[in-house]
Amino acid sequence: MESKSPPPCPSSVTVRRNPYRKARATPLTNPPQLPSHSTSSSKLPPISSFPIQDILSEEIPQNVPSTVTVTAASPSSSQDTIAENLKVYLRICPLVPLKGSTKNAGDQNPSSRTKNVWPQNPSKKNSVKEKKNSKKKSNESCITVSEDCHSVTLSPPLPLQESKRIKSEIYEGFSHVFSADSTQSEVYEKMVNPLVEDFLRGKSGMLAALGPTGSGKTHTVFGSPREPGMVPLALQRIFKPAPACSSQSSRRFYLSIFEICAERGKAERISDLTSDGQDLSMQQSAIKGLQEVPVHDVAGAEQLIARALLKRSTAMTNANSQSSRSQCIINIRRGTDSSDAETDEQSNSAVLSIVDLAGAEREKRTGNQGTRLAESNFINNTSMVFGLCLRSLLEHQKKPKKALQKHFQNSLLTRYLRDYLEGKKRMTLILTVKPGEEDYLDASYLLRQASPFMKIKFTNLEAQSNFLCNKRQFQTTSRTEQSKRIKVGSRDASLIEGKIAGDENQLHDEEDLRICNAEFKNSRPLNLNSDDLMKMERNHQIMQNFAKALWSVLKQHNEKLKVAESEIQILKENLRNEKTRSIEMEKELNNLRSFCTCSKENSVASTIVKVGENFESMLHLEGHTSCSFDETKPVLNSSNRFKSECSSSPRICDSTPGEDQRNVKVLSPNCNCSPENDDLVRIQRQDMSSQVPCHKTTSNLSGLECIDDKQEPEAMDGFFLLDGQVRSSEADVSSPSICVLNENCQSFQVHESFPGTRNIHEDSSESNYVVVEHLDPKSDVKVSTSGNDSSVSVEPGQQLGEKNEDLLDLLVSPKEVKHTQQQDLTYVPETEIRPDTSCNSSRKEKPKRRLLPASSILVREISILDADEFDKPRGNGVGNKLAASERQRTQGSISLLRLLKSNLHSLV
Ligand SMILES: Nc1ncnc2c1ncn2[C@@H]1O[C@H](COP(=O)(O)OP(=O)(O)OP(=O)(O)O)[C@@H](O)[C@H]1O
């Protein structure tokens, strides 16, 4: 991953790599909260906010020679002080490790391998040779040490030069650069001995080795039995027998060794390596409980160190067979002259600290996974924080900037080394680099982070060619971009160096000036001063960091989007399934509706009885989602020419033609009636919710004709009011009657003929339905709302004289109807007929949808009448109720019932 591989940007501050800097939520950059309904996405780790503030808050010094300048080479007085306390050395690791140094698995010398004794295929031999040559080529060193051994030139490999236009950089200001063939003792003499001498004189100091993994830090610090490192060499010097007159022989020394590592790749942990790996804690800058072991001679000290190193966390990676996974710190404290140990006060003692840091590593090269990868993160973060602090020290800031203060606090290593990193104590830094071409990025990162000065060289030749080729671009692009173009390659750098170094980047060479053409002269002259270059570098860094952070946030969002898309797909699939299901159910419902039929019966008696019984069974089943006729009761069969099937909330529309052509029609909501006889009215009630104009529906009825089809009927919460002139097409019906049903359809009232206009008014205490039937065959019936919706006027028309053998049944919502005493509309208590109380409660919620066919009730009335007359009791409970309803029966209904009964008798 990008975040784990150090980018090759100059002194870059990769915000994301710092574990202690949690991305702050800024108002502008907070990602929008995704809806939490998605289950899988909620499991995803939250997307971190974009660290734009952090990126922009990073300040790259403008006045310091760390990036590009030549003038910075001359140190100021403040630099003198820093220079006193800070020395930076560079050691280049040999490309091919020397014989005997077999620690690095990846860099083993092929020549040291045991040779194959068998004769080899010559062609194979050649190919091996070629391979070797190509390997040699790729193993060219990318670091060249200057003659004075104070600077190095870092040249990018050719592919990088071409593809990314990365140019050579010169790093200078080193106290000394040790080339690849330098020996341990040479390094000790030049670098460590001054520290040790000062230590012996009572001055504290620290040596820290910093560099990428496998670059030779541990080798430099500890060495091998053959090539002892800085620690054993320092110990040898410390315990070197002193002249008799010297007081050093009586001095005591104390040794403490500990490591800072990541606990399960997360929290930092300090372990004492001299004891049994006991965990320690840090108070201020001191480590609490750290054991100090007194040492008297080199052998004792070396033994102690060797034992401690065995406990140090190391692991094999692709880059190093024995890679350090922790920051190891050795403290050698110089005791007092006295032999009394109790008087040895640590605060007054000089301490020589030697630090072997774990090397920054890139995932690509180490191939780390799991715990190793977590360790890598810790190591990289620690070394980055250390590098940042170091950078601020190199830039002569007495105290690191605010942004860095917290790094000191958060990282145990920097907290412990605070005095050194703030320049208060003497520190010697040894940077180790590998010079292979493949190590270019690591080396560049380290050098930009920790080298005292860096130079970027320019060639005016390249600049000219750029300008000449891209004159147009030159005029339009910014100065920053111009500067970018004139960075030079490594081979040119050393040549051009003198040109720039002398005169603040002025193009003063006559040769160069001659080459410039007139166009170039007319254009803005090159301004390659350090300010511009620094600005350019800063912009470059900011943009680079910005791009990286943006990329990472985009990647996270992309992940989230993918998850959301898959969820959307699932939801779409579900929706499709639900739709097909609902279509199927709709079809089923339509089928069931079509099965619910009713037909005219020739035999009035059988119809009445059967319809009555069926309706009774329906009454019983009302309120259920599905119903069927009771098998124990007589079922309407084909001989009766009355078919009725229902599966959900059945309603019956029945027809009872009498001898005198007086029919009773009851229009029931949700009823689909399909009489087989043309004489019967086909009434198809539309779905209540659809609010299809009722008159349109009734206009299709056989026997009924809607005169006024312009006017829309009013849908009244489940029932409708016919508002228009309706006439019957056949005039074979005697005087109309009015049936009044109560709200629960448990009783009704029939009124014979109503001559003239009838105003039916709503009685607030009653909630009945009005059924208008037996229309006068000679006249139209006009049904309309009068004034407002709360009253209905029913009046016979004058013009029509056509035959009408059907009855017009009009149902009016109880709310819309007012019943008046003059019209003999009597309220019948709802409990009279229907004993089912369960329906009552539900009806309170949906009173208008509970309307039951009045015809059934009418039939029941007739049956009761029959029962009364013929003394045929129908059961106690029902009989009682029916008797009660009998008492409530009005004159009109009685006469209608008698009429029907006489029809029945005559038919029978
Ligand atoms: N100057 C040198 N001379 C000879 N061998 C060297 C030199 N520098 C490094 N090596 C060899 O390179 C290998 C890796 O070195 P070392 O373990 O010291 O790297 P490191 O920087 O400590 O790595 P890490 O950070 O992973 O611990 C070792 O085998 C070591 O012997």
Side-chain angles (χ1 to χ4, degrees):
M1 268 188 61
E2 233 181 296
S3 60
K4 281 143 205 152
S5 57
C9 55
S11 57
S12 64
V13 182
T14 312
V15 177
R16 285 172 52 230
R17 290 183 57 195
N18 186 348
Y20 313 108
R21 263 167 96 176
K22 281 183 185 168
R24 276 175 293 174
T26 55
L28 284 172
T29 57
N30 271 343
Q33 293 283 323
L34 288 175
S36 56
H37 66 268
S38 117
T39 48
S40 51
S41 62
S42 61
K43 284 173 197 161
L44 285 178
I47 297 171
S48 57
S49 62
F50 190 77
I52 189 165
Q53 294 298 331
D54 284 346
I55 292 166
L56 295 177
S57 68
E58 291 298 340
E59 279 194 24
I60 286 124
Q62 307 269 324
N63 309 320
V64 186
S66 60
T67 49
V68 189
T69 187
V70 182
T71 51
S74 52
S76 65
S77 57
S78 67
Q79 286 171 344
D80 283 341
T81 342
I82 296 289
E84 242 180 59
N85 281 341
L86 174 66
K87 290 199 177 338
V88 183
Y89 293 84
L90 178 67
R91 188 176 192 190
I92 298 165
C93 173
L95 260 178
V96 180
L98 300 173
K99 274 184 186 175
S101 306
T102 53
K103 188 181 158 194
N104 194 330
D107 294 340
Q108 278 182 9
N109 186 1
S111 62
S112 68
R113 284 181 204 146
T114 48
K115 282 180 183 170
N116 195 343
V117 291
W118 297 101
Q120 290 183 352
N121 184 349
S123 62
K124 220 179 181 181
K125 243 186 180 177
N126 288 339
S127 68
V128 170
K129 263 188 186 174
E130 275 169 25
K131 268 186 189 173
K132 271 185 186 173
N133 285 340
S134 65
K135 204 175 181 184
K136 237 187 179 178
K137 261 188 185 174
S138 69
N139 260 354
E140 266 181 17
S141 173
C142 64
I143 300 175
T144 324
V145 186
S146 69
E147 278 181 10
D148 62 356
C149 294
H150 290 295
S151 61
V152 287
T153 303
L154 181 68
S155 314
L158 268 175
L160 276 181
Q161 282 186 42
E162 284 160 10
S163 63
K164 297 197 176 176
R165 306 181 73 192
I166 297 174
K167 307 300 178 190
S168 286
E169 296 142 345
I170 294 180
Y171 297 92
E172 56 187 19
F174 295 106
S175 298
H176 191 86
V177 178
F178 300 103
S179 61
D181 53 2
S182 60
T183 60
Q184 297 279 61
S185 52
E186 186 187 335
V187 174
Y188 174 81
E189 285 303 322
K190 280 208 167 96
M191 182 177 73
V192 186
N193 199 46
L195 260 184
V196 175
E197 293 302 329
D198 279 355
F199 165 68
L200 292 173
R201 283 193 287 271
K203 201 175 175 185
S204 295
M206 181 183 78
L207 168 73
L210 178 72
T213 183
S215 60
K217 295 181 296 294
T218 312
H219 174 80
T220 303
V221 171
F222 296 104
S224 60
R226 272 193 185 183
E227 297 174 274
M230 302 306 116
V231 172
L233 292 173
L235 287 172
Q236 281 172 19
R237 169 64 193 94
I238 288 166
F239 291 104
K240 189 178 172 186
C245 58
S246 168
S247 61
Q248 198 178 316
S249 57
S250 60
R251 284 189 188 277
R252 288 167 161 264
F253 291 95
Y254 299 90
L255 213 70
S256 60
I257 310 171
F258 66 93
E259 69 172 357
I260 302 171
C261 57
E263 196 173 25
R264 285 190 295 273
K266 284 178 184 169
E268 286 183 297
R269 185 168 63 105
I270 308 174
S271 310
D272 193 344
L273 295 178
T274 54
S275 64
D276 297 335
Q278 184 194 338
D279 277 8
L280 306 169
S281 60
M282 188 176 278
Q283 275 184 346
Q284 304 286 336
S285 289
I287 293 170
K288 201 179 160 189
L290 180 64
Q291 197 176 328
E292 274 194 327
V293 183
V295 283
H296 308 283
D297 51 22
V298 180
E302 281 184 346
Q303 245 186 357
L304 186 70
I305 290 169
R307 274 205 305 271
L309 289 183
L310 286 176
K311 292 176 195 162
R312 190 186 177 187
S313 319
T314 55
M316 193 172 90
T317 67
N318 288 351
N320 192 350
S321 62
Q322 208 179 339
S323 176
S324 311
R325 314 312 288 167
S326 66
Q327 329 291 354
C328 179
I329 299 163
I330 297 176
N331 289 327
I332 307 168
R333 187 168 69 81
R334 180 175 171 265
T336 56
D337 298 343
S338 149
S339 57
D340 183 10
E342 287 176 11
T343 57
D344 270 355
E345 283 185 24
Q346 286 191 23
S347 53
N348 299 330
S349 313
V351 178
L352 175 66
S353 300
I354 300 173
V355 182
D356 177 23
L357 297 170
E361 51 194 29
R362 277 184 289 145
E363 189 192 341
K364 264 187 196 170
R365 299 203 64 187
T366 57
N368 285 341
Q369 284 180 341
T371 322
R372 289 281 159 274
L373 195 61
E375 277 171 7
S376 278
N377 289 339
F378 158 76
I379 292 165
N380 288 341
N381 288 324
T382 315
S383 80
M384 187 191 69
V385 174
F386 185 86
L388 284 172
C389 299
L390 191 64
R391 189 74 256 161
S392 97
L393 178 66
L394 287 164
E395 286 159 8
H396 317 302
Q397 294 160 10
K398 286 228 162 164
K399 273 198 169 184
K401 291 196 170 169
K402 255 192 175 178
L404 284 183
Q405 295 270 3
K406 56 185 174 193
H407 295 323
F408 271 123
Q409 290 306 317
N410 291 334
S411 166
L412 290 180
L413 180 74
T414 46
R415 251 168 81 183
Y416 183 72
L417 302 177
R418 185 165 194 152
D419 283 351
Y420 296 102
L421 289 168
E422 286 184 352
K424 291 176 188 163
K425 287 184 182 173
R426 188 176 178 183
M427 175 164 73
T428 296
L429 196 69
I430 173 82
L431 308 178
T432 57
V433 284
K434 286 202 279 185
E437 281 192 337
E438 68 274 21
D439 302 309
Y440 167 80
L441 292 178
D442 292 337
S444 172
Y445 180 74
L446 174 77
L447 291 171
R448 281 163 187 258
Q449 196 177 44
S451 70
F453 311 113
M454 186 186 91
K455 264 187 188 177
I456 298 176
K457 305 298 176 186
F458 301 95
T459 171
N460 51 356
L461 283 172
E462 187 172 330
Q464 287 157 25
S465 64
N466 274 331
F467 284 128
L468 292 172
C469 296
N470 306 303
K471 183 204 160 196
R472 208 191 162 99
Q473 281 179 24
F474 173 74
Q475 286 167 344
T476 52
T477 51
S478 69
R479 287 165 65 194
T480 307
E481 284 170 319
Q482 294 164 25
S483 303
K484 271 184 187 171
R485 283 196 207 108
I486 56 176
K487 280 186 188 173
V488 295
S490 61
R491 279 153 198 85
D492 301 322
S494 56
L495 298 170
I496 307 304
E497 183 183 356
K499 293 177 192 171
I500 305 165
D503 189 6
E504 285 283 318
N505 309 324
Q506 295 280 329
L507 288 177
H508 61 282
D509 192 309
E510 279 185 20
E511 182 75 14
D512 297 333
L513 290 171
R514 196 166 45 78
I515 294 168
C516 291
N517 61 16
E519 280 180 271
F520 179 64
K521 279 177 193 165
N522 290 335
S523 65
R524 194 179 176 139
L526 276 176
N527 188 353
L528 302 175
N529 63 44
S530 58
D531 277 356
D532 280 352
L533 292 170
M534 278 189 289
K535 272 184 197 164
M536 177 198 81
E537 279 302 318
R538 184 171 191 278
N539 286 340
H540 175 67
Q541 284 177 32
I542 287 174
M543 291 312 293
Q544 200 171 30
N545 290 334
F546 188 83
K548 279 177 191 169
L550 188 66
W551 179 249
S552 126
V553 172
L554 283 174
K555 263 195 330 199
Q556 291 174 43
H557 276 292
N558 192 30
E559 285 299 313
K560 281 239 164 194
L561 273 177
K562 276 179 191 166
V563 174
E565 264 173 22
S566 65
E567 277 178 6
I568 286 169
Q569 285 301 325
I570 293 165
L571 287 174
K572 272 185 181 172
E573 189 64 33
N574 286 348
L575 186 68
R576 233 176 285 135
N577 291 342
E578 288 299 319
K579 270 185 182 170
T580 47
R581 239 185 83 209
S582 80
I583 288 166
E584 277 169 15
M585 287 175 78
E586 224 168 78
K587 275 182 191 167
E588 207 176 316
L589 183 67
N590 285 338
N591 285 342
L592 289 168
R593 273 186 181 164
S594 66
F595 286 143
C596 180
T597 57
C598 56
S599 61
K600 183 181 175 182
E601 273 295 326
N602 286 335
S603 167
V604 175
S606 61
T607 305
I608 287 169
V609 171
K610 284 170 185 175
V611 167
E613 284 172 349
N614 275 309
F615 182 64
E616 192 172 295
S617 70
M618 278 196 303
L619 279 176
H620 185 69
L621 292 166
E622 172 106 335
H624 298 276
T625 50
S626 66
C627 73
S628 60
F629 292 114
D630 194 338
E631 286 175 8
T632 60
K633 296 183 177 179
V635 180
L636 299 176
N637 51 37
S638 57
S639 66
N640 295 327
R641 293 168 54 203
F642 193 105
K643 291 172 189 167
S644 181
E645 290 176 45
C646 72
S647 65
S648 65
S649 300
R651 299 287 187 271
I652 287 179
C653 177
D654 70 308
S655 164
T656 55
E659 275 179 336
D660 55 353
Q661 302 299 311
R662 287 179 57 154
N663 298 330
V664 177
K665 291 282 175 199
V666 178
L667 176 64
S668 174
N670 293 333
C671 179
N672 189 354
C673 301
S674 303
E676 292 172 359
N677 195 323
D678 279 342
D679 294 337
L680 294 177
V681 176
R682 283 196 199 98
I683 301 171
Q684 185 160 10
R685 179 73 172 98
Q686 297 293 317
D687 185 8
M688 298 299 177
S689 57
S690 70
Q691 297 202 0
V692 174
C694 301
H695 65 299
K696 297 264 183 207
T697 307
T698 54
S699 67
N700 293 331
L701 303 178
S702 127
L704 288 179
E705 191 180 338
C706 185
I707 293 170
D708 183 4
D709 59 354
K710 286 174 194 166
Q711 206 170 349
E712 296 277 318
E714 292 176 30
M716 287 183 279
D717 196 14
F719 293 95
F720 61 87
L721 170 67
L722 280 179
D723 187 6
Q725 212 170 26
V726 183
R727 61 176 181 168
S728 57
S729 57
E730 296 173 47
D732 208 5
V733 181
S734 61
S735 59
S737 293
I738 292 175
C739 292
V740 181
L741 298 178
N742 77 328
E743 184 187 353
N744 296 326
C745 301
Q746 290 170 347
S747 68
F748 72 100
Q749 191 70 41
V750 180
H751 299 272
E752 287 180 318
S753 63
F754 55 97
T757 301
R758 297 277 181 126
N759 285 317
I760 306 167
H761 301 288
E762 184 182 13
D763 187 338
S764 59
S765 65
E766 297 173 1
S767 52
N768 295 348
Y769 295 92
V770 174
V771 180
V772 180
E773 57 185 19
H774 304 291
L775 294 180
D776 189 339
K778 298 286 191 294
S779 63
D780 290 339
V781 173
K782 189 176 181 185
V783 185
S784 62
T785 52
S786 60
N788 52 40
D789 291 344
S790 63
S791 71
V792 179
S793 158
V794 184
E795 54 184 321
Q798 298 300 322
Q799 314 95 316
L800 194 70
E802 292 174 23
K803 277 181 82 182
N804 185 357
E805 65 177 18
D806 295 311
L807 299 170
L808 173 66
D809 300 341
L810 176 65
L811 297 183
V812 184
S813 168
K815 283 184 185 171
E816 307 301 327
V817 182
K818 287 186 178 177
H819 305 281
T820 54
Q821 287 300 320
Q822 304 99 295
Q823 292 161 355
D824 283 330
L825 301 176
T826 321
Y827 173 67
V828 183
E830 62 182 24
T831 50
E832 278 195 7
I833 291 178
R834 192 172 177 184
D836 190 354
T837 49
S838 66
C839 290
N840 292 341
S841 59
S842 64
R843 192 165 290 115
K844 275 171 193 168
E845 292 162 24
K846 294 180 179 178
K848 290 166 189 175
R849 294 187 186 277
R850 310 294 292 181
L851 182 65
L852 296 175
S855 59
S856 304
I857 299 160
L858 183 64
V859 166
R860 182 173 287 282
E861 289 283 327
I862 294 165
S863 305
I864 293 161
L865 196 65
D866 275 352
D868 288 341
E869 284 204 3
F870 298 106
D871 290 316
K872 288 178 186 169
R874 291 173 63 94
N876 290 337
V878 178
N880 291 340
K881 288 188 180 185
L882 292 177
S885 78
E886 174 70 16
R887 284 195 292 274
Q888 298 282 335
R889 200 171 293 132
T890 62
Q891 195 57 42
S893 63
I894 290 167
S895 51
L896 177 62
L897 290 171
R898 280 196 183 133
L899 184 67
L900 290 169
K901 194 191 75 180
S902 65
N903 287 340
L904 172 72
H905 287 168
S906 62
L907 283 168
V908 168

